[in-house]
Amino acid sequence: MNAHVVKVLEAKFITHDVKKFVVEKPEGYQFIPGQATDISINLPEWKDQLRPFTFTNLRESKYLEFMIKIYNEQNGVTKELGRTNAGDELILHDVFGAIQYKGPGVFIAAGSGITPFISIFRELYRHNLINGNRLIYVNKTSEDIIMGQELYKMLKKNFINVLTRENTIGFIGKRIDRKFLIENIVDFSQHFYVCGPDDFVRDINKHLIDLGADVSSLVFEK
């Protein structure tokens, strides 16, 4: 396994519990939008504690970027990342991931499951290829939405926000279930990209297949 020690160039919270990290990009380091890498903190007690995080930057960027949800209630890697700042060091490992863009379709994300889609959308938007794609993004409250303004700028009316614990003007206040998918998706023969907690991905995929989606059209982290 290849390992690259990189310096943190920027670290700041972009929501109440999601922190953005901009780090050095090792020479020759490449990824496909949607992919991830295992990251550890370059401290003796943490360097062997690897966790997977998704790239959110454009692949031609001269830096790498990650948006990481911080779980302060757990004494784990993300809590330590919450204390990690510019000048500290992280360790990057090999690139992996099954989520890659296959063509226009519907992206369905829950919470921090939006992160692999951010890099994909940025790439499509930069190359004027984002038309024909829709995003259904579910969060508990409006405070949990990651990069909402940028996503709206890129997708406009094709950005559907769903809040499960809050009814706010401009947002749909319900869960994404079979009924919701029937009401909001006309064509089940297109590509579907799904990312979020394991049970969310499992349930959404099951609904999509029941409604006529082909298994081969589902793109998710297996």
Side-chain angles (χ1 to χ4, degrees):
M1 180 182 290
N2 295 317
H4 306 271
V5 176
V6 296
K7 185 171 290 187
V8 177
L9 305 175
E10 179 186 341
K12 67 176 183 180
F13 279 90
I14 56 173
T15 76
H16 65 100
D17 63 354
V18 174
K19 193 171 184 180
K20 181 180 81 171
F21 293 88
V22 177
V23 307
E24 295 172 323
K25 184 178 184 179
E27 187 174 352
Y29 196 85
Q30 299 292 329
F31 70 94
I32 296 171
Q35 289 189 312
T37 185
D38 283 320
I39 294 178
S40 56
I41 302 166
N42 194 25
L43 292 171
E45 65 273 35
W46 291 104
K47 65 181 181 179
D48 295 324
Q49 300 292 320
L50 280 63
R51 298 293 184 274
F53 298 110
T54 311
F55 304 99
T56 54
N57 58 287
L58 288 164
R59 55 179 154 185
E60 60 261 39
S61 299
K62 295 181 180 179
Y63 58 85
L64 298 174
E65 180 189 88
F66 304 90
M67 298 177 188
I68 299 174
K69 187 168 183 178
I70 305 300
Y71 294 92
N72 280 319
E73 67 276 11
Q74 302 172 11
N75 290 317
V77 172
T78 67
K79 183 175 182 178
E80 186 63 24
L81 283 169
R83 296 193 283 253
T84 300
N85 295 300
D88 294 332
E89 292 180 339
L90 303 179
I91 305 172
L92 309 183
H93 297 274
D94 292 337
V95 174
F96 65 91
I99 296 179
Q100 298 178 28
Y101 187 65
K102 307 291 186 182
V106 178
F107 291 74
I108 305 175
S112 57
I114 190 66
T115 55
F117 300 160
I118 290 174
S119 179
I120 291 174
F121 288 142
R122 284 175 166 176
E123 188 91 1
L124 293 173
Y125 186 74
R126 181 179 179 86
H127 297 286
N128 199 29
L129 296 171
I130 203 163
N131 287 344
N133 292 288
R134 296 177 71 213
L135 170 63
I136 299 171
Y137 186 21
V138 59
N139 284 282
K140 293 176 182 176
T141 73
S142 55
E143 292 183 348
D144 298 313
I145 299 171
I146 300 170
M147 303 302 290
Q149 289 185 340
E150 183 178 352
L151 289 168
Y152 178 76
K153 176 185 175 183
M154 293 189 288
L155 291 153
K156 298 184 172 58
K157 62 181 175 54
N158 289 316
F159 178 23
I160 302 172
N161 258 312
V162 181
L163 303 178
T164 61
R165 297 187 184 176
E166 179 182 319
N167 284 311
T168 303
I169 295 174
F171 299 87
I172 298 172
K174 60 173 70 175
R175 294 185 178 276
I176 300 180
D177 52 18
R178 190 177 191 278
K179 182 173 181 289
F180 179 95
L181 295 174
I182 292 172
E183 291 172 346
N184 288 274
I185 298 172
V186 175
D187 179 12
F188 286 92
S189 67
Q190 58 189 313
H191 290 290
F192 290 95
Y193 304 82
V194 186
C195 192
D198 290 345
D199 56 348
F200 174 84
V201 173
R202 182 186 63 248
D203 291 346
I204 295 298
N205 284 346
K206 181 180 183 303
H207 292 320
L208 290 171
I209 292 169
D210 288 346
L211 292 168
D214 192 287
V215 174
S216 63
S217 72
L218 303 181
V219 180
F220 61 99
E221 201 60 59
K222 299 176 177 64

